[in-house]
Amino acid sequence: MKYALVTGASRGIGKAVALRLAAVGWPVVINFLSNKEAAQQVADEIAANGGVAELLPFDTSDPKAIEDALEGWEAAHPEDWFGVLVNNAGIRRDNAMFMMSDDDWHSVLDTTLNGYFYITRHLLKHMMPRKRGGRIINMASLSGVKGLPGQANYSAAKAAIIGATKSLAQEVGPRNITVNAVAPGFIETDMTKDLPVDDLKKMIPTGRFGKPEEVAALVAFLASDEAAYITGEVININGGLYT
């Protein structure tokens, strides 16, 4: 059986992606760090709608925790593999650079960028031998496309994800694996609730923040067979704020 792994899937965009992939038939593995209750609620919602979901907790900034979790899952599922990987986990630690601590810099890059590397490297070893290949979808950001003040760490991590997406797409294209990035703008999630929403809406041509479900719909398309000829792309979903 082919599974989809969604990191950071207990809330926000990750939750919406997990629900959408399950709705179109993917068995989903829900990664989370600490909020087991929220992750279980996502799994229960999937099951209530006839889908299949499992929980897989690990810290995306910890390479040993990643290896242990993935190897444990593979040992328990000897006939199964991940056909879709959605690298969604990420954190924000915003501050002006001259006030940014070492920890704020490294924690954001470790969780968002290094986690992408460790997880993707591991799963590629199993994805590449499969004739039907796979789908890797990386969650970038408006911040990584154009940069945002106060987010030097987050912008650096997301911009690096974009570069890695383009590079990896060329490496694994011959193996029928596509690699794309989705770059959301301002989306209604916990990560944006502390922003000046009314002021920011005035900057967005569509006049509103996006919904997690709208991002999830794009991810589900990129995971589908219909998107087999799309790879190495960064698709902005930002209401026209930056194109």
Side-chain angles (χ1 to χ4, degrees):
M1 182 181 292
K2 288 196 299 182
Y3 280 75
L5 171 61
V6 184
T7 65
S10 65
R11 60 189 177 93
I13 291 174
K15 173 183 176 180
V17 168
L19 293 173
R20 184 59 180 255
L21 290 176
V24 297
W26 282 96
V28 177
V29 173
I30 299 165
N31 161 254
F32 66 99
L33 176 57
S34 58
N35 196 341
K36 183 176 181 179
E37 182 179 356
Q40 187 62 56
Q41 289 174 355
V42 179
D44 291 345
E45 186 173 344
I46 289 172
N49 289 300
V52 176
E54 299 179 15
L55 303 186
L56 189 63
F58 60 81
D59 183 350
T60 60
S61 70
D62 184 339
K64 185 177 187 306
I66 291 168
E67 287 296 310
D68 289 347
L70 293 178
E71 288 178 358
W73 187 89
E74 289 158 358
H77 297 76
E79 302 299 323
D80 303 325
W81 59 289
F82 288 111
V84 172
L85 168 61
V86 182
N87 286 299
N88 169 75
I91 60 171
R92 279 176 45 212
R93 296 287 186 271
D94 295 355
N95 212 333
M97 181 177 274
F98 79 95
M99 296 177 62
M100 187 174 290
S101 68
D102 291 355
D103 183 65
D104 285 348
W105 175 266
H106 289 292
S107 62
V108 170
L109 266 72
D110 284 344
T111 298
T112 305
L113 177 60
N114 293 339
Y116 151 81
F117 168 68
Y118 297 131
I119 296 165
T120 305
R121 179 180 62 179
H122 182 100
L123 295 191
L124 278 173
K125 297 173 184 178
H126 303 278
M127 194 179 286
M128 291 180 69
R130 309 284 177 171
K131 291 182 179 180
R132 297 194 64 182
R135 301 281 184 268
I136 298 171
I137 299 130
N138 302 318
M139 202 58 64
S141 169
L142 173 71
S143 186
V145 175
K146 70 178 292 291
L148 291 175
Q151 291 192 339
N153 47 3
Y154 192 71
S155 292
K158 293 299 189 178
I161 288 286
I162 289 171
T165 294
K166 292 178 176 291
S167 176
L168 183 60
Q170 297 178 62
E171 292 181 19
V172 299
R175 300 297 186 102
N176 295 319
I177 300 171
T178 66
V179 189
N180 292 288
V182 173
F186 295 110
I187 307 297
E188 295 175 351
T189 68
D190 291 346
M191 290 186 74
T192 59
K193 66 182 180 181
D194 59 338
L195 298 177
V197 175
D198 291 337
D199 292 337
L200 290 171
K201 284 181 178 179
K202 297 174 184 177
M203 302 167 54
I204 304 170
T206 57
R208 66 176 178 87
F209 278 19
K211 299 177 181 179
E213 293 77 13
E214 293 172 312
V215 181
L218 174 57
V219 172
F221 169 69
L222 291 173
S224 71
D225 291 340
E226 287 82 358
Y229 202 53
I230 301 172
T231 194
E233 291 298 319
V234 181
I235 303 177
N236 292 289
I237 179 164
N238 57 39
L241 176 61
Y242 185 86
T243 58

